[in-house]
């Protein structure tokens, strides 16, 4: 396992910065995600301190306005898709968060930066840390409304890919249900990001392949 040196003082600094940057509810969520991710990392052979940092910073851009999110992207040549423009709060905070993690909070570890970058949509062929952050964000103790939570929480400590797929399935079905029409592109939450669908397709195929082997 590749270890990452993280000083307690650094972690304390990040925590304080998040307390300042986020509203109270988002800060509580952040702490819960950080420690849930660290616990998952311990079970699945990933460096816990990496998971802790990824969790601590994953929503660092969540309390920025849509205008600010878009202007950070424009100023720094971060590409913004049509879909992201329609729901910047949900879809751009991960991309901008990853950018800020590197530039403001001086995180150099690419795996941590990618975990933050893809924590909302996932992506095909995710690293173990990327999966852990994606899952921790969904199962942290403060989450209450997602479907199948007790089952998904248990599963997360045994089977990362299966859990990831179940969450993707439930997220897609949630995103469609708020619109009421499975084929309605104009979802209330903004359109589906093609990456969410690609991630779902990828894991559906890879899990099926695993079962047939
Ligand atoms: O930032 P959090 O609220 O902790 O959670 P998150 O970053 O996973 O997701 C923010 C929201 O984005 C969540 O309600 C699910 C939603 N989401 C995930 N994939 C897509 C999406 N929303 C849209 N419009 N399109 C997607 O593909
Ligand atoms: Fe988020
Ligand atoms: Fe989150």
């Amino acid at each position: 396992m590749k270890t990452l040196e993280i000083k307690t003082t650094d972690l304390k600094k990040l925590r304080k910065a998040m307390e300042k940057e986020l509203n109270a509810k988002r800060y509580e969520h952040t702490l819960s995600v950080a420690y849930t991710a660290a616990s998952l990392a311990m079970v699945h052979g990933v460096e816990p301190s990496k998971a802790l940092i990824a969790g601590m910073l994953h929503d660092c851009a969540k309390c920025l306005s849509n205008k600010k999110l878009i202007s950070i992207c424009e100023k720094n040549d971060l590409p913004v898709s049509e879909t992201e423009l329609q729901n910047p709060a949900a879809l751009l905070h991960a991309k901008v968060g990853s950018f800020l993690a590197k530039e403001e909070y001086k995180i150099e570890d690419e795996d941590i930066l990618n975990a933050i970058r893809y924590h909302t949509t996932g992506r095909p062929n995710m690293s173990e840390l990327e999966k852990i952050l994606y899952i921790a964000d969904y199962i942290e103790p403060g989450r209450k409304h997602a479907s199948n939570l007790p089952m998904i929480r248990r599963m997360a400590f045994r089977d990362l890919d299966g859990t990831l797929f179940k969450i993707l399935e439930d997220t897609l079905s949630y995103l469609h249900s708020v619109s009421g029409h499975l084929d309605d592109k104009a979802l209330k939450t903004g359109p589906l990001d093609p990456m969410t669908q690609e991630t779902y397709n990828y894991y559906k195929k890879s899990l099926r392949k695993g079962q047939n082997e």
Side-chain angles (χ1 to χ4, degrees):
M1 199 196 298
K2 208 169 133 221
T3 54
L4 179 83
E5 280 296 318
I6 162 117
K7 294 190 220 105
T8 333
T9 46
D10 293 340
L11 190 64
K12 196 172 169 187
K13 253 190 223 156
L14 291 182
R15 189 157 33 82
K16 292 267 167 221
M18 289 308 103
E19 191 174 12
K20 224 172 124 196
E21 199 59 37
L22 305 172
N23 64 40
K25 206 169 149 206
R26 185 59 53 179
Y27 178 60
E28 283 306 317
H29 162 72
T30 290
L31 294 180
S32 289
V33 171
Y35 286 99
T36 302
S39 309
L40 286 171
M42 290 174 198
V43 178
H44 294 290
V46 169
E47 170 65 37
S49 57
K50 273 197 185 196
L52 201 54
I53 296 172
M56 200 62 87
L57 289 176
H58 83 286
D59 273 342
C60 68
K62 188 77 181 187
C63 292
L64 300 177
S65 65
N66 286 347
K67 205 171 146 208
K68 182 83 184 162
L69 287 168
I70 293 165
S71 89
I72 292 177
C73 290
E74 280 170 356
K75 280 193 192 121
N76 297 286
D77 291 325
L78 303 176
V80 178
S81 69
E82 260 313 302
T83 318
E84 288 168 336
L85 262 187
Q86 290 183 52
N87 193 345
L91 297 173
L92 274 185
H93 80 279
K95 186 181 278 180
V96 173
S98 173
F99 172 80
L100 294 177
K102 186 171 185 181
E103 301 301 323
E104 290 264 329
Y105 304 109
K106 307 298 172 204
I107 302 300
E108 290 171 0
D109 187 289
E110 282 297 323
D111 200 15
I112 295 179
L113 297 174
N114 283 331
I116 298 173
R117 168 75 184 80
Y118 295 104
H119 85 262
T120 305
T121 60
R123 66 163 168 172
N125 199 18
M126 292 162 86
S127 75
E128 301 301 275
L129 181 69
E130 289 172 35
K131 292 175 200 167
I132 282 173
L133 181 60
Y134 183 92
I135 293 168
D137 195 19
Y138 196 87
I139 67 167
E140 63 95 348
R143 289 265 194 227
K144 295 199 170 58
H145 304 296
S147 46
N148 302 315
L149 262 181
M151 184 278 274
I152 291 176
R153 281 179 171 142
R154 272 197 306 276
M155 193 178 178
F157 287 85
R158 302 187 266 110
D159 173 9
L160 286 181
D161 283 9
T163 309
L164 187 66
F165 181 68
K166 184 74 193 121
I167 295 174
L168 282 159
E169 199 172 55
D170 287 354
T171 300
L172 282 175
S173 118
Y174 163 76
L175 289 171
H176 285 302
S177 76
V178 285
S179 86
H181 303 282
L182 271 172
D183 55 355
D184 187 350
K185 287 214 171 65
L187 300 165
K188 250 192 221 156
T189 48
L192 194 65
D193 191 299
M195 189 63 99
T196 307
Q197 188 68 49
E198 264 177 56
T199 313
Y200 173 84
N201 295 348
Y202 176 91
Y203 281 97
K204 186 171 184 178
K205 206 168 155 191
S206 94
L207 285 175
R208 224 187 252 152
K209 207 169 143 220
Q211 275 166 5
N212 293 337
E213 272 166 13

